[in-house]
Amino acid sequence: MLRQISEDVRVNLKDRLREVRDIIRQSRHDGTGEASAVREATSLLPTFPGKGIEGLLSHAASAVDEALSIAESFVPHERPIRVDGTTVKGLGTYFPAGNEDRQLSAERLFRRDMYYLTKAVLAGLKIDNARIHEADFAAVHVAMRKRHGGLLATLATPDAGLRPIAAACAALLVECLNHHPVRFGESAPGTPAAAPDRTLDISCLAPLALACGLATAGRDGSPEPDMLEIAILAADIRHDRIVQACAKARPIDELTPIFVTLLAHLP
């Protein structure tokens, strides 16, 4: 229990530090950030005589950002060497049977992979103002084990077929949508002002669920580098149907046949 609490604190701290880092990067003086961030910061300060306070703050932000980059280079990072289709693991790897140590290790691997894979998906969709929370992916992992343990156990059955894999992928997508691991800025493309649906969330998260399914269904156990790209394209082709299925009263039941079809026809 204490180990789990410690892990939760560490993950939440990483998320908060990433948010601070994003704010600092938005305030750089060299044009890589947004001027609005500087103006927001200066609006909280008292009025100074003369000009140039914004420039001083932006140069200070640049210095802090560069110092953090140098510090990061001396800290070992648990991250994939490359982020592509080979990063994706099967659902049996992310949700294995076993003791607490094995479950914690699998959760750590899951949220790490999902974080970097989500960054890759966001880059492919040209969305650069979203923030990814590892803590929410950790919550997804817990929810999958608690709510869909029987479904995950079926995956270990020899010759289980595609339908249990597709159902697990559907459950993974639904849990991801429930826990909102990706937070979008106001200007995210394709998002209406009121954001009445989860269309953009589905665009980012459906490829992750499908990629996990492809890795699970793979016969030779060797994921291809373009697997993530294939998942992104396939999820985009079936995007409208996936959105409609997610809006139903029983989304997992509605999503499962869609994923069965995709898993059966994709390499």
Side-chain angles (χ1 to χ4, degrees):
M1 178 64 71
L2 290 177
R3 289 182 58 191
Q4 182 62 55
I5 293 174
S6 176
E7 186 74 6
D8 290 344
V9 171
R10 189 174 74 87
V11 173
N12 278 281
L13 181 59
K14 285 172 64 178
D15 287 338
R16 300 292 83 77
L17 289 174
R18 283 171 177 150
E19 289 181 355
V20 172
R21 187 70 181 277
D22 286 342
I23 294 172
I24 291 173
R25 283 177 171 167
Q26 290 172 7
S27 305
R28 289 182 63 96
H29 77 285
D30 51 12
T32 58
E34 297 292 338
S36 60
V38 177
R39 288 195 294 270
E40 182 180 354
T42 55
S43 67
L44 302 176
L45 297 174
T47 302
F48 286 92
K51 299 180 180 180
I53 185 64
E54 288 189 8
L56 290 174
L57 284 176
S58 62
H59 277 80
S62 300
V64 172
D65 186 29
E66 290 165 4
L68 289 173
S69 297
I70 294 172
E72 282 182 341
S73 67
F74 291 100
V75 178
H77 290 278
E78 188 183 359
R79 64 176 61 175
I81 298 175
R82 295 179 57 189
V83 179
D84 54 25
T86 61
T87 306
V88 186
K89 314 296 188 303
L91 293 170
T93 300
Y94 290 136
F95 303 99
N99 56 25
E100 182 181 357
D101 286 342
R102 191 174 184 188
Q103 295 295 336
L104 285 174
S105 178
E107 177 194 299
R108 191 178 300 114
L109 178 65
F110 173 78
R111 59 177 169 74
R112 184 206 70 168
D113 285 357
M114 292 302 108
Y115 175 82
Y116 288 106
L117 289 168
T118 303
K119 288 189 69 174
V121 172
L122 290 170
L125 297 175
K126 302 188 186 316
I127 299 173
D128 58 3
N129 58 346
R131 291 175 181 168
I132 309 165
H133 287 183
E134 273 194 52
D136 292 320
F137 277 122
V140 169
H141 192 275
V142 172
M144 286 291 293
R145 288 192 288 113
K146 286 185 176 180
R147 299 176 187 173
H148 311 287
L151 183 60
L152 294 172
T154 305
L155 299 179
T157 304
D159 302 322
L162 289 180
R163 190 167 188 83
I165 298 175
C169 291
L172 179 58
L173 175 56
V174 169
E175 294 300 341
C176 284
L177 292 173
N178 288 341
H179 289 86
H180 308 288
V182 185
R183 314 293 172 85
F184 302 99
E186 295 180 358
S187 59
T191 305
D197 56 33
R198 299 179 290 184
T199 302
L200 191 55
D201 300 79
I202 291 170
S203 296
C204 297
L205 297 170
L208 302 182
L210 181 56
C212 288
L214 290 172
T216 306
R219 296 292 178 262
D220 58 4
S222 302
E224 297 294 331
D226 59 355
M227 182 183 296
L228 183 61
E229 182 179 353
I230 291 172
I232 294 172
L233 293 174
D236 181 63
I237 292 172
R238 290 291 184 267
H239 182 262
D240 290 342
R241 291 188 59 191
I242 293 173
V243 170
Q244 293 170 7
C246 289
K248 299 293 185 180
R250 299 175 64 87
I252 295 177
D253 292 341
E254 298 288 338
L255 285 167
T256 297
I258 299 175
F259 281 116
V260 167
T261 302
L262 291 173
L263 292 173
H265 292 90
L266 293 176

